[in-house]
Amino acid sequence: MTVDLNQYRAADATIAWIDRSDRARLDVSGPDAAKFLNNLTTNDIKRLPADRGCEAFITSPQGKTLAYVSIIVRPGSILVRADAGGLEKALPHLQKYGIFDDVAIDDVSDATLEYHIVGPDAAAWLESRGASLPGPEDLSAVATHLEGVGVLCVRESPTGRPGFTLVAKTDEGRPLGEMLRSAGLTELNSDTFETLRIEAGTPVFGREVDEKNLPQEIDRDSRTISFVKGCYLGQETVARLDALGHVNKILRGLRFHPGEPIPSPGTPLAADGKTVGSVASSAYSPGWEAGVGLAIVRVAQAAAGSALTWTRNDDGATFKAEVAELPLIPSRR
């Protein structure tokens, strides 16, 4: 697959959708559910009211990231979601510590479906089909119906454009995909969605963030970390970094020159002949008419406009890259 210009334009200017059912979903229930997750994540779960959510990192005792998740508090349970494969390291960790609390941790990835609807027309389209919309806050949610199918509708923007995610039980929600197609909505392929995600600066575990990263290196503190909630596993390291005031490397956007090749993920980035980071994700952006990317780079080279280079393996040719602030969403033309 390749980035599709019509799909890209639909997500940016009207409405589009994508099936994201391959993502991981956990249902955490029991009287200690909020306390349990609060003790193992970087954000303040105990203060979230029902039908509100937040982003968080699940951290190891050493403060390293085991998962990057979104958490939605539901009446009677808490929904924890991550990208495909994004809970492989965290789930055993949660199960290990779950024995100390009155909680049940159920992997509902196969028992549920997840569709994301994106674009400035998404809200009006959902309402026209009888669905109620969640509150205005990011990761707010509401239980509603779409064409008679019960769904959890979550307000979120992994592409940086207005968006809503629909989560439904698999046995009830299978007709939703066909309904979205028959309604004439543009379906995004994975490459086009990847470009939109990179432009938004939304990290994926296993690419921008892994178990070697400290939470602050992803530069998403205001969304993912509470510095006042009290103790949790790994909190000492996170608090110490906050007191020191900075990390040594950090997530940044990249812009590549029009007409030049786009480096693959894992390609080293250099400045003054020294390696200062590596490409985490990259794609062609129709909006910029050039390649864009995400990278973890040394803080000394992280300022917007910083000039970096990368080298092509097969012939040793060197090309330029420019550090950019996130999000990288281009103005409409």
Side-chain angles (χ1 to χ4, degrees):
M1 285 188 292
T2 57
V3 179
D4 185 287
L5 178 59
N6 291 329
Q7 294 176 17
Y8 179 92
R9 286 174 172 168
D12 200 48
T14 54
I15 185 171
W17 72 283
I18 185 170
D19 185 343
R20 303 189 77 201
S21 299
D22 63 342
R23 282 164 50 83
R25 289 170 291 278
L26 299 179
D27 184 80
V28 182
S29 60
D32 293 338
K35 182 189 79 169
F36 166 69
L37 289 171
N38 203 66
N39 289 342
L40 295 175
T41 65
T42 55
N43 220 334
D44 194 342
I45 312 304
K46 291 174 71 174
R47 291 182 180 273
L48 285 174
D51 293 326
R52 289 288 301 278
C54 68
E55 297 178 12
F57 295 107
I58 298 173
T59 43
S60 70
Q62 296 76 32
K64 296 299 182 72
T65 58
L66 298 177
Y68 162 62
V69 299
S70 68
I71 294 172
I72 307 290
V73 175
R74 301 284 300 128
S77 67
I78 299 176
L79 178 64
V80 179
R81 295 177 300 142
D83 286 295
L87 288 174
E88 289 181 358
K89 297 183 182 299
L91 183 54
H93 177 79
L94 295 174
Q95 292 168 333
K96 173 184 175 181
Y97 288 96
I99 63 174
F100 300 108
D101 290 300
D102 189 359
V103 295
I105 305 168
D106 296 315
D107 187 342
V108 296
S109 303
D110 292 336
T112 52
L113 301 172
E114 185 169 333
Y115 300 105
H116 184 67
I117 300 177
V118 55
D121 295 344
W125 185 87
L126 285 168
E127 289 186 311
S128 74
R129 297 289 174 134
S132 299
L133 300 182
E137 303 86 1
D138 187 45
L139 290 175
S140 56
V142 64
T144 185
H145 287 80
L146 181 65
E147 297 288 342
V149 177
V151 298
L152 179 68
C153 182
V154 180
R155 186 185 296 271
E156 62 181 348
S157 303
T159 68
R161 284 79 172 172
F164 299 88
T165 292
L166 307 175
V167 180
K169 294 180 179 179
T170 299
D171 55 354
E172 299 174 3
R174 283 196 182 94
L176 276 180
E178 289 307 315
M179 185 274 290
L180 292 170
R181 291 186 184 95
S182 63
L185 273 62
T186 300
E187 185 174 1
L188 302 175
N189 66 37
S190 59
D191 288 346
T192 304
F193 184 86
E194 178 72 349
T195 293
L196 297 165
R197 177 192 72 84
I198 291 171
E199 290 179 349
T202 302
V204 167
F205 194 86
R207 296 191 187 184
E208 287 72 39
V209 53
D210 60 29
E211 68 274 16
K212 298 176 184 177
N213 287 117
L214 297 163
Q216 287 101 317
E217 291 174 349
I218 311 306
D219 197 27
R220 218 168 170 85
D221 296 8
S222 62
R223 293 173 178 252
T224 59
I225 303 174
S226 169
F227 293 102
V228 298
K229 76 167 187 172
C231 295
Y232 57 90
L233 204 64
Q235 183 261 348
E236 183 178 352
T237 300
V238 176
R240 184 167 63 247
L241 272 176
D242 184 50
L244 291 173
H246 69 88
V247 289
N248 294 322
K249 55 185 179 179
I250 200 161
L251 179 67
R252 284 291 182 264
L254 296 173
R255 290 182 59 187
F256 304 107
H257 285 219
E260 291 189 354
I262 301 170
S264 302
T267 300
L269 296 164
D272 299 322
K274 297 180 180 180
T275 299
V276 297
S278 63
V279 178
S281 297
S282 57
Y284 176 75
S285 165
W288 291 107
E289 298 181 351
V292 293
L294 296 172
I296 300 289
V297 298
R298 302 286 296 182
V299 169
Q301 284 78 35
S306 294
L308 306 178
T309 61
W310 65 275
T311 301
R312 189 163 57 190
N313 286 332
D314 55 358
D315 60 3
T318 298
F319 302 93
K320 296 179 180 179
E322 180 182 298
V323 176
E325 292 285 354
L326 294 170
L328 263 171
I329 300 172
S331 301
R332 294 181 188 169
R333 300 184 178 183

